Amino acid sequence: MPESAYDPGPQVAYAGSINLGTPDLERSLWFFRDVLGMEVVAQSGGVAYLRGYQELVHHSLVLTQQDEARVNSYGFRVKRKQDVELFHKQFESEGVQSVELAAGDEIGRGEAVRFLVPGSEHPFEFYYDIERPLAEESLRSKLPSNSSRRRGLGVRRLDHINLQTSAGTVNEAENWLRSSLGFRRREFAMLPQAPDVILASWLSVTPQVHDLAIGVSADDEPGRFHHVAFNVENFHDVLRAADEIRDLDIAYGHGPGKHGIGQAMYLYVHDPGSGHRIELYSGGYHIFDPDWAALEWKLPELEFGQTWYGDVLDVGPGGQFLSTSPSAGLTK
């Protein structure tokens, strides 16, 4: 078959953005802009758009002033412009309710399609077109691969998103993400007390171990958000963040430490304006093998998967690390 005749169908390119609702927009802006060093690209009507210093597109983070601290959307960029419409048609054929969003629904972004993941009910938005504005002159870097100068704790980009849902829906959601959206399972664990139910699955469409993770929520509810991870350059940056955040009025989560799963260093903190969990994430390995076989973690080694070294995550009964935030529905 000629190469020009091959069409792989619609595909997801990467995890592109997240829209976090915050009851205190100014406090959240201080955290992401002044502490983490993200650039505010636009702000209008109680909504702010930010990006890391190595993100050339308009934004990866949207902060929305609202009463409830919830996640309004999880954004994924697709590989081609036509993939937005092709995914929309695919969802219609599968009976997945979706709505079209006009260009400009988020500033700087083109038309999109919004839907709820079957089973987990997380609100995803797929888009392709997004502007690439230059930073204001005072923030520009001499490096053309950087959208702005490195500032604050040096957030480079959005790395991955971690979602949770009920034990009764996690298998359906994880399977749909793989079969309908093309995510590949990289590492996973099953519930020890229910070995046919997924405890957690790390999925990607890029060489990363995960662009998206999904697992069982402690409250056994669908549509839960555990954390969003932002990438920093190296392990020293994580240690510096841990040191500096101790001096600030910010809820310190867990870490610094290193995951066995993905093999990256982590530090979990909470946005002081909303309480949403934020991970600062560095390192990890990449997967280039086209025939990669997913790695299963079982007890007792699973504890090394969560924490290879460093601050142990309190994942037992009542552990704060298991707390989550709610997500919006089909409409924001």
Side-chain angles (χ1 to χ4, degrees), residues 29-40:
L29 271 172
W30 167 78
F31 172 67
F32 286 104
R33 177 192 60 212
D34 301 333
V35 178
L36 299 189
M38 298 185 76
E39 173 196 353
V40 177

Side-chain angles (χ1 to χ4, degrees), residues 134-328:
L134 292 175
E136 62 178 72
E137 189 70 38
S138 64
L139 294 180
R140 289 182 197 168
S141 169
K142 294 182 175 65
L143 294 170
S145 55
N146 290 0
S147 53
S148 65
R149 290 185 289 104
R150 176 172 171 164
R151 295 168 297 115
L153 294 176
V155 162
R156 298 201 295 179
R157 59 178 174 83
L158 189 153
D159 192 280
H160 65 265
I161 297 168
N162 188 299
L163 308 176
Q164 295 187 344
T165 188
S166 67
T169 60
V170 66
N171 282 15
E172 176 190 359
E174 196 263 0
N175 180 68
W176 189 83
L177 290 168
R178 291 189 292 122
S179 62
S180 290
L181 300 188
F183 281 90
R184 295 182 290 277
R185 182 192 282 178
R186 303 304 201 175
E187 303 191 35
F188 70 103
M190 309 301 284
L191 278 171
Q193 65 272 33
D196 60 336
V197 177
I198 292 168
L199 171 63
S201 176
W202 289 263
L203 307 161
S204 72
V205 290
T206 70
Q208 295 192 138
V209 173
H210 64 314
D211 305 304
L212 177 68
I214 189 166
V216 174
S217 61
D219 57 7
D220 205 32
E221 292 290 333
R224 309 302 294 185
F225 165 71
H226 191 268
H227 69 266
V228 58
F230 289 96
N231 188 279
V232 293
E233 187 173 11
N234 54 53
F235 285 9
H236 176 268
D237 291 327
V238 177
L239 295 174
R240 176 191 166 197
D243 192 37
E244 294 191 14
I245 283 174
R246 274 300 191 192
D247 256 336
L248 303 172
D249 188 19
I250 294 173
Y252 201 101
H254 298 82
K258 182 179 178 179
H259 295 301
I261 296 167
Q263 298 186 37
M265 196 165 187
Y266 63 83
L267 173 68
Y268 294 95
V269 297
H270 292 265
D271 165 26
S274 66
H276 294 304
R277 183 182 289 104
I278 308 300
E279 181 182 19
L280 298 181
Y281 186 91
S282 181
Y285 70 91
H286 290 89
I287 297 169
F288 299 101
D289 295 337
D291 56 349
W292 178 265
L295 306 176
E296 182 176 5
W297 288 83
K298 298 180 180 180
L299 293 175
E301 290 81 9
L302 181 56
E303 65 179 88
F304 299 133
Q306 295 164 343
T307 304
W308 180 238
Y309 62 74
D311 192 6
V312 177
L313 306 178
D314 59 343
V315 296
Q320 292 183 351
F321 187 69
L322 298 180
S323 64
T324 57
S325 303
S327 301

Side-chain angles (χ1 to χ4, degrees), residues 68-100:
E68 183 184 17
R70 72 179 184 196
V71 180
N72 296 311
S73 66
Y74 307 92
F76 294 82
R77 196 171 184 210
V78 295
K79 289 191 173 181
R80 305 172 302 181
K81 184 179 179 66
Q82 63 265 37
D83 287 352
V84 176
E85 180 61 26
L86 290 173
F87 267 123
H88 191 196
K89 291 179 179 179
Q90 176 184 315
F91 300 152
E92 288 181 336
S93 69
E94 294 177 346
V96 176
Q97 187 178 2
S98 55
V99 294
E100 292 181 297

Side-chain angles (χ1 to χ4, degrees), residues 8-31:
Q11 294 180 296
V12 179
Y14 60 90
S17 65
I18 190 167
N19 185 319
L20 298 178
T22 173
D24 190 341
L25 178 60
E26 287 307 312
R27 189 95 174 122
S28 292
L29 271 172
W30 167 78
F31 172 67

